[in-house]
């Protein structure tokens, strides 16, 4: 009755080594068994006893032996081999588990990857190359399979890091009666066509980029604040310390060509009409000038802020001394006479003509 009750597992490792395991301890916990096998197909079979047992708590539970042909017969017997408990005939080619793919290469072109491996020497048409991948944001593996020994997949995001793994799988039921695949090849990590040690490197590089951008942003913000403070300071400085007009820009030829010699300048510009306007930016000065004009009207001595005048040769000769006096820095809010003209002086300018 053991023949129907014993469960066996048969694996042919790349058609090189056989592994047969069985479960007999449930039926006879205290009794050990022995294992025999043969690859002979004739009537006179030569049975070989197992030399390499797999143990389960000191009881035989499996056997490893070399694959010697496509047809296999096995026999499980009692401990001394005198009584057969289980027997089976099978095709060893239908239980092949392939080896891992060798020389796996990744070829990237934009968002598409082509994964390939070396072609096995025997029965390559029975194999499929399976590719699995996932990003660090995915919970499940995405799978893609193709004929041995190349598979193409596309649609990868260049900003994400992906984990890849590949294996070979036997076709069922054309080549195998059991769905056996090879062990997975070691995982590799790729991002935008570049091989990484792990996807943690991607996280580290992104963190460094964020830190660098934050520092640059902080520096630019500080420069902007300093620029705003500088502009504010210039406005405050102009309000507290207003600029004093320099007469050399109004009489450039007087100071550049004549070194401030008024008499020489008057001799050269005897018949030239000179129109001079003095401007001041502060509203307080304009208000002060208007108040001074009102005072002048009340005293019946109206003096304009702007006046077109002509220095004649006679005025030049008669009042040269007065002109020299007029070039001196006057006292604030005073009236001065020059060549028959009345000149109003204030705090913010040297003279107003």
């Amino acid at each position: 009755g053991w023949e129907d009750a014993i469960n066996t597992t048969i694996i042919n490792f790349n058609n090189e080594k056989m592994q047969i395991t069985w479960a007999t301890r449930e039926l006879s916990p205290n009794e050990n068994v022995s294992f025999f096998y043969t690859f002979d197909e004739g009537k006179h079979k030569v049975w070989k006893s197992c030399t390499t047992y797999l143990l389960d708590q000191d009881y035989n539970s499996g056997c490893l032996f070399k694959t010697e042909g496509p047809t296999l017969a096995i026999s499980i017997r009692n401990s001394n081999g005198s009584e057969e408990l289980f027997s089976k005939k099978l095709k060893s080619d239908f239980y092949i588990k392939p080896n891992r793919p060798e020389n796996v290469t990744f070829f990237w072109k934009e968002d598409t990857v082509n994964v390939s491996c070396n072609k096995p020497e025997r029965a390559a048409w029975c194999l499929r190359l399976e590719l699995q991948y996932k990003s660090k944001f995915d919970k499940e593996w995405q799978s893609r399979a193709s004929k041995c020994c190349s598979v193409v997949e596309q649609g990868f995001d260049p900003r994400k890091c992906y984990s890849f793994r590949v294996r070979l799988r036997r076709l069922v039921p054309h080549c195998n009666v059991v769905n056996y695949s090879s062990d997975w090849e070691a995982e590799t990590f790729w991002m935008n066509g570049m091989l990484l040690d792990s996807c943690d490197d991607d996280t580290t590089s992104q963190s460094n980029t964020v830190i660098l951008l934050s520092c640059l942003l902080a520096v630019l913000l500080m420069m902007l604040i300093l620029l705003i403070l500088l502009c504010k300071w210039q406005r405050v400085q102009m309000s507290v310390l207003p600029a004093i007009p320099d007469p050399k820009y109004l009489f450039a030829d007087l100071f550049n060509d004549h070194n401030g010699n008024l008499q020489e300048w008057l001799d050269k510009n005897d018949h030239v009409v000179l129109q001079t306007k003095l401007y001041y930016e502060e509203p307080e000065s304009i208000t002060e000038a208007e108040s001074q004009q009102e005072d002048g009207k009340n005293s019946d001595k109206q003096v304009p802020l702007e006046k077109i005048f002509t220095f004649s040769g006679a005025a030049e000769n008669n009042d040269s001394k007065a002109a020299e006096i007029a070039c001196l820095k006057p006292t604030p809010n005073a009236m001065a006479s020059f060549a028959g003209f009345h000149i109003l002086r204030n705090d913010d300018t040297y003279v107003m003509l």
Side-chain angles (χ1 to χ4, degrees):
W2 278 31
E3 291 189 10
D4 297 330
I6 294 179
N7 294 323
T8 58
T9 302
I10 304 167
I11 303 176
N12 184 359
F13 291 103
N14 200 43
N15 207 27
E16 297 172 357
K17 183 180 291 187
M18 298 291 301
Q19 175 182 289
I20 311 293
T21 58
W22 54 83
T24 59
R25 292 201 59 199
E26 291 81 1
L27 301 176
S28 179
N30 299 322
E31 184 178 353
N32 210 347
V33 296
S34 59
F35 179 82
F36 295 85
Y37 67 94
T38 181
F39 288 93
D40 296 338
E41 299 182 15
K43 293 182 179 180
H44 304 285
K45 297 182 178 64
V46 178
W47 292 91
K48 297 180 180 179
S49 62
C50 180
T51 58
T52 306
Y53 279 103
L54 303 177
L55 301 180
D56 180 13
Q57 298 181 0
D58 296 330
Y59 287 90
N60 297 335
S61 62
C63 180
L64 287 174
F65 53 95
K66 184 179 179 181
T67 303
E68 299 176 0
T71 303
L72 174 65
I74 61 175
S75 174
I76 298 176
R77 305 175 185 180
N78 59 4
S79 58
N80 57 19
S82 60
E83 181 182 357
E84 186 175 82
L85 305 176
F86 175 83
S87 65
K88 186 176 183 178
K89 294 182 180 180
L90 53 95
K91 284 287 188 180
S92 62
D93 292 345
F94 286 171
Y95 295 86
I96 293 179
K97 179 178 180 178
N99 288 338
R100 292 179 180 180
E102 298 179 352
N103 193 24
V104 178
T105 58
F106 290 76
F107 178 74
W108 287 88
K109 185 176 181 181
E110 297 178 354
D111 66 338
T112 303
V113 61
N114 186 341
V115 183
S116 60
C117 68
N118 289 347
K119 188 175 181 179
E121 296 179 357
R122 291 179 291 183
W125 65 273
C126 283
L127 297 174
R128 292 292 180 267
L129 181 63
E130 182 179 3
L131 169 69
Q132 287 191 349
Y133 61 90
K134 68 176 180 178
S135 71
K136 59 183 179 180
F137 304 103
D138 299 328
K139 295 182 179 180
E140 302 293 335
W141 288 93
Q142 306 294 324
S143 185
R144 178 83 170 181
S146 181
K147 292 182 179 180
C148 186
C149 294
S150 177
V151 59
V152 178
E153 184 65 311
Q154 61 183 0
F156 294 98
D157 190 339
R159 298 168 296 179
K160 293 182 180 180
C161 177
Y162 292 88
S163 303
F164 291 88
R165 63 182 185 180
V166 293
R167 67 180 178 181
L168 291 173
R169 188 178 67 211
R170 290 275 292 187
L171 290 178
V172 177
H174 306 289
C175 299
N176 264 31
V177 294
V178 183
N179 189 12
Y180 281 151
S181 300
S182 70
D183 295 332
W184 290 105
E185 184 67 8
E187 287 186 36
T188 56
F189 307 92
W190 295 83
M191 178 179 177
N192 195 21
M194 295 182 60
L195 180 63
L196 303 177
D197 293 334
S198 69
C199 283
D200 295 335
D201 298 343
D202 173 39
T203 305
T204 302
S205 62
Q206 288 183 354
S207 301
N208 294 336
T209 303
V210 170
I211 294 174
L212 179 60
L213 291 178
S214 300
C215 292
L216 291 177
L217 183 61
V219 171
L220 292 176
L221 185 60
M222 291 180 62
M223 293 178 62
L224 180 61
I225 293 175
L226 291 176
L227 183 60
I228 293 175
L229 292 177
L230 181 60
C231 295
K232 292 288 185 182
W233 167 248
Q234 290 181 349
R235 290 187 178 182
V236 172
Q237 189 178 22
M238 291 178 61
S239 300
V240 176
L241 301 173
I244 300 175
D246 194 341
K248 70 179 181 180
Y249 296 109
L250 300 176
F251 302 96
D253 55 346
L254 172 62
F255 292 94
N256 295 335
D257 300 338
H258 304 285
N259 295 324
N261 191 331
L262 180 62
Q263 185 64 43
E264 181 180 338
W265 178 73
L266 292 175
D267 291 341
K268 186 175 181 180
N269 299 277
D270 187 13
H271 301 290
V272 177
V273 178
L274 176 65
Q275 182 177 1
T276 306
K277 295 183 180 181
L278 296 179
Y279 296 94
Y280 194 63
E281 296 179 357
E282 300 295 333
E284 292 81 357
S285 301
I286 299 174
T287 305
E288 182 181 356
E290 293 177 354
S291 62
Q292 290 175 356
Q293 289 180 356
E294 293 296 331
D295 294 340
K297 290 180 180 179
N298 295 334
S299 60
D300 297 329
K301 295 180 180 180
Q302 182 177 356
V303 180
L305 293 177
E306 301 178 359
K307 185 171 183 179
I308 300 176
F309 59 93
T310 306
F311 294 97
S312 64
E316 174 188 336
N317 297 330
N318 295 335
D319 296 319
S320 60
K321 184 175 182 180
E324 295 176 0
I325 296 173
C327 289
L328 299 177
K329 184 177 181 181
T331 59
N333 298 326
M335 297 292 296
S337 299
F338 177 73
F341 295 95
H342 296 286
I343 302 172
L344 175 62
R345 301 169 298 177
N346 56 28
D347 293 334
D348 300 322
T349 59
Y350 290 99
V351 295
M352 296 187 65
L353 301 179

